[in-house]
Amino acid sequence: MTDQSATTLEKPPGQDPAGTEKKTPAVLGRIRPTNLVFFAVAVIFVVVAALTNDSFFTTDNLTNILSQMVTTGLLSLGMLMVILTGGIDLSVGAIVSLTGIMSAGLVAGMPLPLAILLAILVGAGCGIVNGILVAHFRMAPFVVTLAAMTAFGGLTYVYSKVPITPDNLGFLTLGAKNIGVIPLSAIITVVLFGLGWIFLNRTAAGRALLGIGGNEEAVRLAGVNVRNYLILAYVISGVCAGIAGVILASRVGIAQPNVGSGFELDAIAACVIGGAALSGGRGTIGGALGGVVLLGLIDNLLSLYDVESYWQQVLKGVIIAVAILVRRREQRGA
């Protein structure tokens, strides 16, 4: 996991004329010790699970882990774009519920691609609303998206007060089909993470999002339209939440009006565990993906050991709090 905001420190020419100082490869030099600690924790989880539970390394369980990571993965990808600007998007869980139940309902009366596209566009529309309120009215992202979470959650019940069970086989295939042992939804997620990496590292818009979180005024003085890029970040978050809602409804086979409750916290946690700074300007695609994998392993291990659901929430909350404290100490010392 690397950090886009990190810079490679180079010594002035001639400082080591004898050339005796050992050089650290550039990639290794950018790896933060905290990232290595989180990687080691993930490896320990895997080893302990493999040694103590016969079910962990079965094909079914590994496929199940990948499937369960999809929703958190997609939400954390969009959340990272918002966090990089110094914002937060608490409405993604509600958007998952809204787009999931809409897609399940729409496939009954229109072609499958059109139903999925409309649901994702609803997610994008939710992002536009959030982005405009944050960028043009200078409202705090926390307040805007908290209000949006309530509003979008209400719209979900306006659409349907009861769960919807889709009967379109093509729709159900999207979340249930495997390519070998790898779920199709996991492949889609990895592809989107790849596109996210290209966006952040190879496009001017991606660099603008990082710059806005680091020093918004400097980016504005450089002639960048900050408002448009802020809206773009929330639109990406809305689109990712829309895709997550469609895939989740397809995988589970039933769309519940409250299914997205709490997903926003997992997405934020994955980004922070992966090294994203809630103050903005710092974070990576690889880090967010690493956070998603670690949270997925924790969820799976707790389930394999039959830890009751409310204790799972307690343990996961403690782990997330510790991870955030470790990251905060790292960022203060950077």
Side-chain angles (χ1 to χ4, degrees):
M1 290 179 283
T2 62
D3 193 334
Q4 284 97 345
S5 66
T7 56
T8 303
L9 298 179
E10 297 180 355
K11 292 186 176 183
Q15 187 166 339
D16 183 26
T20 55
E21 185 176 338
K22 291 183 178 179
K23 295 182 179 179
T24 302
V27 174
L28 294 179
R30 292 198 297 269
I31 296 177
R32 294 176 178 275
T34 311
N35 292 341
L36 294 177
V37 171
F38 282 119
F39 178 75
V41 170
V43 172
I44 291 171
F45 281 159
V46 171
V47 171
V48 171
L51 294 176
T52 59
N53 195 305
D54 295 335
S55 301
F56 181 75
F57 262 125
T58 60
T59 301
D60 288 344
N61 186 54
L62 295 178
T63 302
N64 185 47
I65 292 175
L66 292 174
S67 295
Q68 292 182 338
M69 288 180 185
V70 168
T71 303
T72 304
L74 290 170
L75 295 183
S76 64
L77 176 61
M79 185 70 72
L80 178 65
M81 303 299 172
V82 175
I83 287 178
L84 287 175
T85 67
I88 199 81
D89 189 350
L90 300 177
S91 67
V92 292
I95 297 175
V96 167
S97 299
L98 178 60
T99 56
I101 205 164
M102 284 192 68
S103 60
L106 290 173
V107 292
M110 62 178 62
L112 175 61
L114 181 59
I116 292 176
L117 178 62
L118 285 177
I120 295 174
L121 287 176
V122 168
C126 294
I128 290 175
V129 172
N130 286 336
I132 289 176
L133 291 175
V134 170
H136 284 272
F137 294 92
R138 309 304 296 171
M139 295 175 67
F142 178 86
V143 175
V144 169
T145 57
L146 183 62
M149 178 175 68
T150 303
F152 300 153
L155 285 175
T156 305
Y157 282 95
V158 169
Y159 186 82
S160 176
K161 296 180 179 61
V162 296
I164 295 178
T165 303
D167 56 3
N168 186 303
L169 293 179
F171 181 75
L172 296 173
T173 299
L174 178 64
K177 184 177 178 58
N178 294 340
I179 308 296
V181 297
I182 302 176
L184 174 62
S185 56
I187 295 174
I188 293 173
T189 303
V190 171
V191 170
L192 291 176
F193 264 82
L195 294 175
W197 187 90
I198 293 172
F199 172 75
L200 278 184
N201 294 279
R202 295 290 184 267
T203 70
R207 290 190 288 272
L209 296 188
L210 278 165
I212 290 171
N215 190 331
E216 180 177 332
E217 188 58 27
V219 174
R220 193 191 315 278
L221 293 174
V224 175
N225 191 324
V226 172
R227 288 180 176 178
N228 287 349
Y229 285 117
L230 281 175
I231 294 173
L232 176 63
Y234 285 91
V235 170
I236 293 174
S237 181
V239 169
C240 288
I243 297 172
V246 172
I247 291 178
L248 182 61
S250 170
R251 180 170 67 86
V252 178
I254 183 170
Q256 301 274 2
N258 61 349
V259 69
S261 177
F263 278 141
E264 62 277 356
L265 299 181
D266 284 348
I268 295 169
C271 292
V272 173
I273 290 173
L278 292 178
S279 56
R282 183 191 298 271
T284 67
I285 292 291
L289 184 58
V292 170
V293 172
L294 186 57
L295 285 180
L297 286 174
I298 292 171
D299 281 338
N300 185 254
L301 291 178
L302 293 176
S303 297
L304 287 179
Y305 291 116
D306 292 327
V307 177
E308 294 184 52
S309 59
Y310 43 84
W311 277 115
Q312 288 189 26
Q313 295 299 319
V314 172
L315 289 173
K316 205 161 76 170
V318 170
I319 292 169
I320 290 170
V322 171
I324 291 175
L325 285 174
V326 171
R327 285 297 186 188
R328 193 169 65 175
R329 288 177 63 86
E330 175 197 69
Q331 289 159 10
R332 284 178 175 175

